[in-house]
Structure formats: structure tokens, C-alpha cells
Amino acid sequence: MKDIAEIKQKVEKLRPAINYHNYRYYVLDSPEISDSEYDELVQELKQLEAEYPELVTPDSPTQRVGAPPVEAFGVVEHLQPLLSLANAFSHKELAAWHKRASNLLAGRSFDLVCEPKIDGLAVALTYIDNLLSTGATRGDGYRGENITHNLRTIRSIPLSVPKEAPPRFEVRGEVYLPKAGFKKLNEERAKERLPLFANPRNAAAGSVRQLDSSITARRPLDIFVYGLGWAEGKTVPDTHWEIMQWLKSLGFKINPDIALYHTVDEAGRCYQSWVEKRESLPYEADGMVVKVNPIALQRELGNVAHEPRWAIAYKFPAIQGTTRLVDIGINVGRTGSLNPYAILEPVRVGGVVISQAALHNEEDIHRKDIRIGDWVIVQRAGEVIPEIVGPVKSRRTREAEVFSMPSRCPVCGAEVIKPEDEAMHKCTNAACPSQALERIKHFVDRGAMDIDRVGEKLCQALFEKSLIKDAADLYYLTKEQLLGLDKMADKSASNVLNSIEASKDRPLARVIFALGILHVGEEYAELLAENFASINELARATQESLLSLPSIGPKIADSITAFFKQEGNRHIIEKLRKAGVRLEKKKAEEVKPAELPLAKLEFVITGKLEFFPRSEAEARIKTLGGKASSDVTKKTSYVVVGADPGSKLAKAQQLGIKMLSEAEFLHMLNQAKQ
Ligand code: IVH
């Protein structure tokens, strides 16, 4: 056996080395060694610690990842409240704020610190005796959630600080997901068919509020520290600027763009330059925070309600541009809805050329009073499709035309109707070619029959050449027909045919979904497949039998029966059957309720779920054989904890019921499905 003192020495050498490289990589963004060299160091430490667990310390770099799930978040009382900021939207408002502060300070002059306002979520990190002791969310400003276990996984948050730091202090900062990390995370989620995050802020907030920190650890989160909450036992610098430099020297990551100015006009110029470069920043920023530099003067200024008088958020303008609305085009969707969209004179908005924008429906166009030929303001927000904010009425000419939805379908000429309870106009022709093409595209899609190599373009080409009129025709294609298409070589034609052949054996739920019955999404398709043994049986289902299923209401029941009444749809199903597509459950699919993966498990959901409405979550539980209840009792197997959980959380804690975060719950559902 090796000498323990020797091992201890080795471990004590490895830790600062890893911390140092960690700091170079995550805080300074300037690593000195390669990732694999870094991994080797960590591996070596991990091995030693595994062999000699008595040498593990809480601030060891190995202690960042994958702590076991905690039962639930505890509450942290903030010693000093976390305030919010007042906003300014123009230089005039910024100058007015500055003047008010100067007046209150009887004309004493002060410097200003400008910092990007990071769009993430506020956290407070408390260090006691040089170790990270608590990390908490802002909560209501006075009480936040204890998310220490998750914050420990963020590499740019130091787990320990140098000896010269005060014995007790709290730093505050913004945890965020860099733009690149956000994009990657959503790409991965799309692959796993998980719902996408709307923006980096939601993604960051969702990531740190996990019960299982190994999920947080997989998200590329980062932090910018922006202030000191409080400190005890040592004097600290007396200006905000110096505090920030001091925090940096203690190992915290501060924003590299932070700047110090004398006058409000200089701050205004700084703002302009940031507005211009904002798109190129690797993180989302929604404004510039301006702070009075001397801490003594900050104290004198104090707060009004929940906002300090010594700081203000000068918000960036929305990313907008102006251009001409050349025309309004219409797409006809799979369900026959007429979707209007704006055709624009191409315009550059925040570095991206935009020539189309979303126009949701006729009512929306009229409410905003948008006319064809108008100059319009287009807006981009994050990664979403550009939108039209409204017309520039002062530039309107007499030629501007009020838009109205056509009374005939632009694709097939059939009559267009607008059902009273719906926002969209609809083409009444079930055989409308545009609808037909959209339905074929849906049929081959990943979540449906998942026909590899048959994408949107190929569907369109086949459809335009009249080689297919509906999805069932795909199963009758010949190699010769495929070879007649542009850029289709022998090998690819064989591959396409093989893919189509392979799709004949998809599970019943997928076939039901692929048929494209209005309102029947993937989850409902699963539910139907659990309860009906074949498409034939489903086609014969009565309103009554459908309504007896959990979460199926009259709207869906109507839509299902109407679908199977249509001659065209029955014909397609017949063609599918003749081609050999399996339209019933395989033996293995005929599982008895007691054999379903969640059988005998009882779930209670509390709080707001981020990814799906509670009704859908409950439907999923039932589909997989579980029970969804509203009361926590001794029989409850799991409590799913969403945002702002209610009293059920306390009840569950009291009874010692196992809790799941939404992500853990999703994971469980996904596992169960396989
Ligand atoms: S200072 C008393 N500085 O903005 C003011 N806040 O609207 C304390 N934020 O909750 C905040 N970047 O989460 C400050 N450089 C920055 C910031 C920043 C983002 C967030 C913070 C705060 C919110 C206030």
C-alpha cells in the first residue's frame, strides 16, 4: 500500500492545478492545456479519491458533477434583498435618472459603471470560510430557492475562494446559457423529440431548477458576476468598479465589457456602441445597466420600493427594421387552413436579411391595420420567425390595399369558410392538392411513418409529376418512376424504395398519427393505439366509445369519426392495406394494462409545467398505464414538481414521497415508451 501522506500530497497538488486550468478555461476563456490533458488530470484525481475517499473535500473539482437528486428545493432567506431595476428606454430617460441622482446628492459628482444587462437569471452565492456554501435564486427578492447542488456544476463558479477573501460574503450574478450552447441544446432536444426552449433565458432557468444536478451539469451554463451582496469580517473596496476588479481577483467571472465613465453622455455613447455590436456578442443581452460608482453614494441614494435609485437598466431597442409590404401570400396547410404571410422588400434587420414574415390570420392583419403596399415595421426576437409590428401610417399612400382572405382556395379554387370558433380560414376541399401534399409530407415525417430518404423535396417532386396523389401511392412507386426524376441515380432509387418498404411495419400509434386526423397528435395517437387493436376497429368506433377514453373530448371524437366517414380517407386506408402496410397491432403491442410500463404507479402533479399542459401530462401517464391523481396520499408513487409548486409539495415532503422535476418526469416517460 502506498504511503497515505504521499497520496495526500499528490491530491493536494492536483486540485489547485485543475482549479487553475478550470479558471483559465471557464473564467478567462484562455486555456493553457488541451481538453484531453485537462481530462487526464481530472481522471487522475478521481481515481485517487475513489481509492482514498477520506481525502475527498467538498471543494474538490471532482465534486461538481452528478450529485444524487435532492428531495426538493429548500428556501433561502436573503440577508439583503435582491432588488430589480428601473428601466430607461431613451437617452432622455437615462439623463433624467442621472439628474435626479445628482440632485439628491446635492451636486456631488460621481463616476458611472456601465455593464451589459445579461438575459439570464439572478443568483446569490454565499461563501463561508472560503467555501461556496449556498447558491440561491432571486425568488421574490427576499426568499429564493436553494439551488446550490446545481450551481456547483457551473465551472465558472468557484467552489472555493482564496484565503484573503472575507470569511463570509455573498456575490450576485447572472447565470446564462451562451447563444451557441442554447442552439446546441435545442438541436439535441429536437433529435430526442423533446419540446424546444423558447429562448436562452428560459433554457437557463429550466436548467438550474432541476432536482437532478447531473441534468444541469450537461447544460453549458455560465455566469457573469455583477456585484457584491454583502461581506462580513473584512473591509472591501469602496467603489463598484473596484469591487468588480477585486471579485475578479478572487476568481469570479466578470463581464469583459464593463466600463467606467465620468459623464452620462459618455455612458450614452457606450450604449450606442453596444447596440451596434450586440448581435455579435456570444450571449443575449437586453440592455445596459448603469450604476453609480461610489458605494457610499449608492447607500445615500437608497431604494424606492424594489428598485435602487443608484442603478438603471437602459434597455436595447427591439431588433427592428422598416420595409415595404409587397404582397400577402397564402400557404394552405395540411388541415386546409389558409396561412397568410408577408412578402417583403428584402431588408437587413440586425445582420439578417428578411423577405418574409409571419402574419397570423386575417383578424390579426386587420387589428394591426396592415395594408398591402404599406411601409411596415418588422421585428426579430431571438431565434423566432420575424413578425410585423405594424404599419408606418405616415408613409401610407392611396394605393395601399386592405387585405381580405380569398373566398376561393388559392390552390384548388374550392370554397373557403371560416368556422366561427376558429381564427383561421379553411379550404373545404379535402382533395385540395396543397392539403394533399402537406398531408403526404406529414405522413413521411419523423414522428409519423419516419420514411428515411423521403423528405419534403422528394414528396413535392413526386407530387408535381403526379406520381403520387396521396401517401398510400408511395407504396406503389416503381424504380423506373423514381429514375425518371432529376438527380435520382440507381443506388438512391433503391435506397428510397427500401426505406418505403421498411415503413410498412411501423407501430399502430405511428400509423394513426401519420393519417393526419385533425387534432390527433402523437400523444392522442398513442392513446388510441392502446385502446383499439387496429385502424379498422378505430374506424368503427362510436362517439360514445371514444368519449369514454381519458382526455378525449367531443372535439377530438368528432374529428375522428368525421375522418373515417370520408370516402377519400377510406380509400387511402384501403390502398395502404393492399400495399401491405400493417394496420393493426403486432402481438407484442397487445399489452394488457397491467403490463404497461407505468402500471400500478400513481402520479400527482403540482405547480406549472413548462413543456406541456397538465392535461397532456396526465394523458401521457394514463396512456402508459399509470394513474394521475390530484391528492397526495400515502399511495402516491411520485409527485412531479413544476414551477411555483403548491401545498402538495409540503405534503409530499411530509409523507416522504419521491419527487421528480419536470425533466426527470419527461425522462421517465421517454424511457417508458421504449
Ligand atoms: S444589478 C439592484 N447588473 O437584471 C440591482 N443586474 O432587472 C441589482 N441583471 O435581477 C442588479 N445583468 O438578474 C445588475 N450587469 C447587471 C445585470 C443585472 C443582468 C439582471 C439581474 C436583476 C435584473 C434586474
Side-chain angles (χ1 to χ4, degrees):
M1 200 175 142
K2 276 187 207 149
D3 180 3
I4 183 91
E6 209 178 287
I7 305 287
K8 191 158 183 262
Q9 229 179 15
K10 177 105 196 141
V11 165
E12 277 169 1
K13 251 201 187 137
L14 274 169
R15 273 187 201 134
I18 294 172
N19 278 339
Y20 171 74
H21 292 300
N22 218 6
Y23 173 77
R24 300 251 10 150
Y25 186 93
Y26 289 104
V27 180
L28 302 182
D29 284 330
S30 151
E32 284 175 354
I33 57 173
S34 70
D35 290 4
S36 58
E37 284 169 306
Y38 173 81
D39 289 342
E40 262 173 46
L41 292 177
V42 176
Q43 238 2 74
E44 195 180 347
L45 179 61
K46 267 191 187 162
Q47 243 160 32
L48 290 173
E49 286 183 346
E51 273 176 60
Y52 302 92
E54 66 273 31
L55 296 182
V56 179
T57 57
D59 64 329
S60 173
T62 57
Q63 299 303 299
R64 282 186 188 272
V65 238
V70 291
E71 285 293 296
F73 304 118
V75 169
V76 173
E77 302 264 350
H78 299 303
L79 279 185
Q80 299 276 343
L82 271 78
L83 304 172
S84 50
L85 288 168
N87 291 325
F89 294 96
S90 63
H91 188 75
K92 210 168 142 201
E93 287 176 13
L94 177 71
W97 164 79
H98 185 260
K99 188 149 189 271
R100 263 195 315 274
S102 303
N103 289 344
L104 285 167
L105 297 172
R108 275 169 293 168
S109 70
F110 50 86
D111 285 344
L112 296 169
V113 179
C114 296
E115 300 166 8
K117 183 168 187 295
I118 314 297
D119 206 3
L121 103 157
V123 296
L125 307 169
T126 310
Y127 287 80
I128 297 179
D129 295 335
N130 305 88
L131 293 180
L132 171 63
S133 93
T134 317
T137 62
R138 175 172 183 270
D140 62 4
Y142 299 92
R143 299 164 57 152
E145 280 166 327
N146 188 337
I147 50 164
T148 320
H149 62 296
N150 289 332
L151 295 180
R152 291 174 70 88
T153 69
I154 301 177
R155 308 293 177 126
S156 42
I157 295 183
L159 297 179
S160 58
V161 284
K163 281 191 296 303
E164 52 276 21
R168 294 164 70 88
F169 68 101
E170 182 211 77
V171 290
R172 293 174 176 183
E174 196 84 349
V175 166
Y176 68 97
L177 202 56
K179 286 177 188 166
F182 169 71
K183 200 163 162 254
K184 197 161 151 256
L185 175 63
N186 262 353
E187 280 167 5
E188 285 167 8
R189 290 178 73 83
K191 269 194 218 141
E192 292 173 34
R193 306 220 179 101
L194 289 171
L196 303 186
F197 286 115
N199 55 48
R201 178 161 37 86
N202 289 358
S207 302
V208 296
R209 297 189 68 261
Q210 296 291 330
L211 289 176
D212 177 356
S213 65
S214 66
I215 298 179
T216 315
R218 289 198 292 272
R219 308 267 165 90
L221 293 163
D222 212 330
I223 192 171
F224 280 128
V225 156
Y226 56 65
L228 182 68
W230 49 265
E232 286 172 7
K234 248 188 195 152
T235 47
V236 297
D238 57 10
T239 65
H240 179 64
W241 177 261
E242 282 165 293
I243 286 178
M244 295 308 283
Q245 306 312 315
W246 170 73
L247 287 174
K248 188 173 166 185
S249 76
L250 293 180
F252 292 99
K253 185 160 180 171
I254 70 166
N255 192 294
D257 282 327
I258 173 170
L260 181 66
Y261 296 107
H262 295 304
T263 69
V264 72
D265 286 340
E266 282 171 342
R269 278 195 289 277
C270 171
Y271 171 86
Q272 284 311 333
S273 76
W274 285 356
V275 167
E276 278 155 35
K277 72 174 186 190
R278 142 189 203 200
E279 287 274 319
S280 60
L281 291 174
Y283 50 82
E284 294 273 354
D286 58 347
M288 174 175 92
V289 184
V290 189
K291 299 176 181 172
V292 169
N293 193 29
I295 303 294
L297 297 191
Q298 287 188 1
R299 293 227 172 86
E300 264 186 58
L301 286 167
N303 312 321
V304 246
H306 296 298
E307 291 162 359
R309 286 197 195 85
W310 51 264
I312 193 154
Y314 187 1
K315 298 298 273 285
F316 289 149
I319 305 176
Q320 291 186 337
T322 332
T323 187
R324 236 172 56 84
L325 176 63
V326 179
D327 204 353
I328 292 181
I330 288 170
N331 274 324
V332 182
R334 168 165 69 86
T335 56
S337 57
L338 270 57
N339 310 316
Y341 63 93
I343 302 169
L344 303 167
E345 220 154 72
V347 59
R348 220 179 212 327
V349 181
V352 177
V353 177
I354 291 177
S355 55
Q356 288 191 355
L359 287 169
H360 307 286
N361 50 52
E362 188 184 52
E363 199 189 318
D364 199 45
I365 298 170
H366 289 165
R367 191 176 46 78
K368 291 181 179 162
D369 190 18
I370 297 167
R371 304 190 190 174
I372 300 170
D374 267 347
W375 280 86
V376 289
I377 298 165
V378 266
Q379 174 167 310
R380 277 181 56 223
E383 316 279 315
V384 297
I385 309 167
E387 269 196 324
I388 299 212
V389 180
V392 185
K393 285 202 185 146
S394 57
R395 295 178 78 174
R396 178 171 283 165
T397 63
R398 279 210 210 122
E399 282 77 48
E401 237 182 275
V402 174
F403 169 78
S404 57
M405 275 287 182
S407 56
R408 300 258 148 206
C409 170
V411 178
C412 72
E415 193 194 345
V416 166
I417 53 156
K418 183 176 171 293
E420 242 178 46
D421 56 341
E422 288 180 34
M424 307 305 284
H425 285 66
K426 297 211 151 159
C427 164
T428 48
N429 175 16
C432 169
S434 183
Q435 287 188 48
L437 177 57
E438 291 304 317
R439 276 201 229 118
I440 298 172
K441 288 183 192 163
H442 168 76
F443 186 89
V444 301
D445 200 41
R446 282 197 312 186
M449 296 301 264
D450 194 9
I451 310 188
D452 211 16
R453 302 195 179 86
V454 183
E456 294 206 353
K457 284 217 178 93
L458 183 55
C459 287
Q460 181 146 7
L462 291 166
F463 191 78
E464 279 169 3
K465 290 220 148 136
S466 297
L467 294 173
I468 54 172
K469 289 202 168 59
D470 57 49
D473 290 340
L474 285 166
Y475 295 96
Y476 296 87
L477 285 170
T478 63
K479 193 159 186 186
E480 289 65 43
Q481 287 176 322
L482 287 175
L483 287 172
L485 297 174
D486 272 357
K487 295 189 202 132
M488 180 69 78
D490 195 83
K491 179 104 178 61
S492 341
S494 303
N495 286 340
V496 166
L497 290 177
N498 288 341
S499 291
I500 295 175
E501 185 62 29
S503 74
K504 287 182 178 172
D505 198 35
R506 295 283 183 253
L508 182 61
R510 281 183 175 242
V511 184
I512 297 176
F513 176 57
L515 289 178
I517 306 169
L518 188 61
H519 307 309
V520 177
E522 280 178 87
E523 295 306 320
Y524 283 115
E526 298 242 4
L527 181 75
L528 293 169
E530 295 296 344
N531 288 281
F532 296 92
S534 65
I535 295 282
N536 250 353
E537 232 184 64
L538 177 61
R540 285 198 300 267
T542 58
Q543 288 279 98
E544 214 182 8
S545 63
L546 288 166
L547 285 171
S548 71
L549 299 179
S551 77
I552 292 213
K555 197 163 135 188
I556 300 177
D558 275 350
S559 161
I560 296 171
T561 46
F563 180 88
F564 289 105
K565 265 197 206 121
Q566 286 219 7
E567 189 49 44
N569 294 334
R570 290 224 292 266
H571 182 58
I572 293 175
I573 292 168
E574 225 20 66
K575 283 203 289 185
L576 288 172
R577 185 187 317 284
K578 285 206 179 115
V581 177
R582 188 162 58 79
L583 302 178
E584 55 264 334
K585 271 189 228 175
K586 254 193 206 170
K587 284 281 162 280
E589 282 179 64
E590 282 174 21
V591 260
K592 297 194 188 75
E595 292 165 6
L596 286 169
L598 299 187
K600 300 211 183 89
L601 295 180
E602 194 174 314
F603 291 77
V604 174
I605 300 174
T606 175
K608 197 169 161 354
L609 299 182
E610 200 181 334
F611 297 131
F612 37 33
R614 187 180 289 203
S615 57
E616 197 187 322
E618 292 179 345
R620 288 204 199 190
I621 293 171
K622 288 179 195 161
T623 306
L624 294 165
K627 193 171 162 203
S629 331
S630 49
D631 294 321
V632 180
T633 68
K634 270 190 272 175
K635 280 200 284 174
T636 310
S637 325
Y638 292 100
V639 173
V640 180
V641 187
D644 304 320
S647 59
K648 289 176 199 164
L649 178 68
K651 184 86 190 284
Q653 269 169 329
Q654 200 187 346
L655 294 175
I657 310 283
K658 189 149 176 41
M659 286 179 241
L660 297 174
S661 69
E662 190 174 352
E664 287 173 307
F665 173 57
L666 266 176
H667 186 67
M668 185 184 261
L669 294 181
N670 286 336
Q671 293 286 310
K673 261 202 230 170
Q674 283 160 13

